[in-house]
Amino acid sequence: MLYLVGLGLADEKDITVRGLEVVRNAERVYLEAYTSILLVDKEKLEAFYGRPVIVADRELVESGSDEILNGAKDVDVAFLVVGDPFGATTHTDLVLRARELGIPTKTIPNASIMSAIGCTGLQLYNFGQTVSMVFFTETWKPSSYYDRIKENVKMGLHTLVLLDIKVKEPLLENLARGRKIYEPPRFMTVAQCARQMLETEEERKEGVYGPDSLAIGAARVGAPDQKLIAGTLKELTEVDMGSPLHSLVLLGKRTHDMEKDYIEEFALNKETFNAAWKKGYTAAS
Ligand SMILES: C[S@@+](CC[C@H](N)C(=O)[O-])C[C@H]1O[C@@H](n2cnc3c(N)ncnc32)[C@H](O)[C@@H]1O
């Protein structure tokens, strides 16, 4: 059997009891370590699970999946995914490959950033499409996310923006020379995301959002030092939310008064928060 086991969001203790049973009984245990990260390192997981863990980078999962699936018709293999195995990352390709090989699969779900973001007090029902923000470069500033946000904004819905992480990405110039040297890991911050969002608005000028739009930065959701900060996009460009992982929620106009009361608690500056709210979010606007 191939088991896809969700690990939850923070540390080694977020695995479910059922997930832990699978890990303890599996012949081999892989950790998918490139679409999201736990806030503790592999050694801590190994100590808690009592099992060695093989780190599966993008290369192994995308090109070497047969190695992961090897023998899984006869023995159990556990494939650990941070968050939920089907939350924001889909490992459908691995499951399809297993199916082709006649290997049965089972999924053990867990909390995902897609559900845990409810800790902001915003109703999950009132979210539109989730979007991803990639690191802009001098020559590459993709703005397809802006079109998705535009659709959400039209319907008054909140947008969850997931932020780029780069773990074990080969450096381009080395790829060209056929050598594998990896970039140091990078994790986008809320401030960087807010800056890029305003940069896109400046370029596209469709008035989807602006410096006074309200948003919430969410860092290390589910961890003991989880941090939430609400403010205008302009304010968030300057905010320091500490270590990874970060996400951002752009507030929809359909925000309920009760949602507003809840998030006001996290406002960086209650005065500017309320001014922006009055200007752009009340029924009269
Ligand atoms: C591909 S998604 C996560 C997929 C994961 N399978 C899940 O269900 O949560 C990775 C992105 O989600 C966001 N994220 C994940 N965990 C987070 C956390 N604990 N706090 C804040 N953001 C988080 C970050 O923006 C991160 O780059």
Side-chain angles (χ1 to χ4, degrees):
M1 177 82 75
L2 169 72
Y3 285 95
L4 287 95
V5 182
L7 293 188
L9 294 172
D11 60 30
E12 73 279 11
K13 293 190 182 155
D14 282 341
I15 192 167
T16 62
V17 174
R18 193 181 301 278
L20 189 56
E21 278 170 7
V22 168
V23 168
R24 292 209 164 133
N25 293 321
E27 178 92 0
R28 297 191 308 280
V29 181
Y30 293 92
L31 170 67
E32 188 268 79
Y34 60 93
T35 63
S36 202
I37 53 152
L38 272 187
L39 310 170
V40 293
D41 48 29
K42 178 182 104 133
E43 287 68 33
K44 223 161 181 194
L45 295 188
E46 289 179 323
F48 186 74
Y49 301 158
R51 295 299 315 280
V53 169
I54 307 160
V55 172
D57 57 18
R58 188 187 297 279
E59 214 173 314
L60 180 60
V61 178
E62 291 178 0
S63 326
S65 61
D66 285 356
E67 184 184 325
I68 297 173
L69 298 173
N70 188 22
K73 247 183 180 174
D74 306 307
V75 297
D76 289 342
V77 172
F79 184 73
L80 313 184
V81 182
V82 176
D84 184 89
F86 288 101
T89 23
T90 57
H91 284 293
T92 36
D93 41 354
L94 185 63
V95 174
L96 286 175
R97 181 72 189 130
R99 264 197 215 155
E100 267 171 34
L101 297 170
I103 297 164
T105 63
K106 249 191 202 151
T107 304
I108 318 283
N110 208 321
S112 168
I113 188 60
M114 305 278 289
S115 54
I117 199 66
C119 68
T120 51
L122 298 176
Q123 286 286 338
L124 294 179
Y125 280 106
N126 296 339
F127 277 73
Q129 306 162 88
T130 298
V131 302
S132 299
M133 176 66 83
V134 299
F135 283 110
F136 286 180
T137 67
E138 275 310 308
T139 51
W140 192 61
K141 300 178 198 276
S143 67
S144 53
Y145 79 89
Y146 183 84
D147 299 305
R148 304 285 86 72
I149 294 185
K150 190 174 173 182
E151 291 168 355
N152 291 346
V153 165
K154 255 191 203 149
M155 289 191 283
L157 300 172
H158 312 308
T159 305
L160 171 61
V161 188
L162 299 178
L163 314 190
D164 204 1
I165 66 175
K166 296 247 182 268
V167 188
K168 213 176 165 203
E169 293 287 326
L171 278 168
L172 281 180
E173 64 253 43
N174 290 295
L175 258 188
R177 288 193 210 115
R179 281 189 303 152
K180 285 264 168 69
I181 298 179
Y182 298 97
E183 279 186 46
R186 282 196 293 156
F187 305 93
M188 190 183 290
T189 63
V190 163
Q192 227 169 340
C193 173
R195 282 198 290 272
Q196 292 195 177
M197 284 176 72
L198 290 177
E199 195 179 331
T200 305
E201 178 55 60
E202 233 166 58
E203 200 180 299
R204 299 274 300 258
K205 293 191 172 47
E206 293 172 41
V208 170
Y209 51 76
D212 290 336
S213 298
L214 288 172
I216 306 176
R220 301 172 300 283
V221 170
D225 62 345
Q226 164 180 305
K227 191 167 183 172
L228 301 173
I229 293 186
T232 63
L233 272 182
K234 186 163 186 315
E235 284 174 335
L236 291 186
T237 61
E238 301 291 336
V239 92
D240 176 6
M241 306 219 37
S243 54
L245 295 170
H246 295 183
S247 293
L248 181 145
V249 182
L250 184 68
L251 224 61
K253 302 263 162 166
R254 220 196 269 174
T255 303
H256 194 274
D257 280 346
M258 210 151 78
E259 293 178 305
K260 185 252 176 185
D261 289 347
Y262 200 94
I263 56 178
E264 192 182 341
E265 191 57 31
F266 319 124
L268 192 66
N269 176 331
K270 287 206 168 114
E271 229 168 83
T272 50
F273 178 87
N274 279 306
W277 173 263
K278 270 202 191 117
K279 205 165 121 196
Y281 293 80
T282 49
S285 69

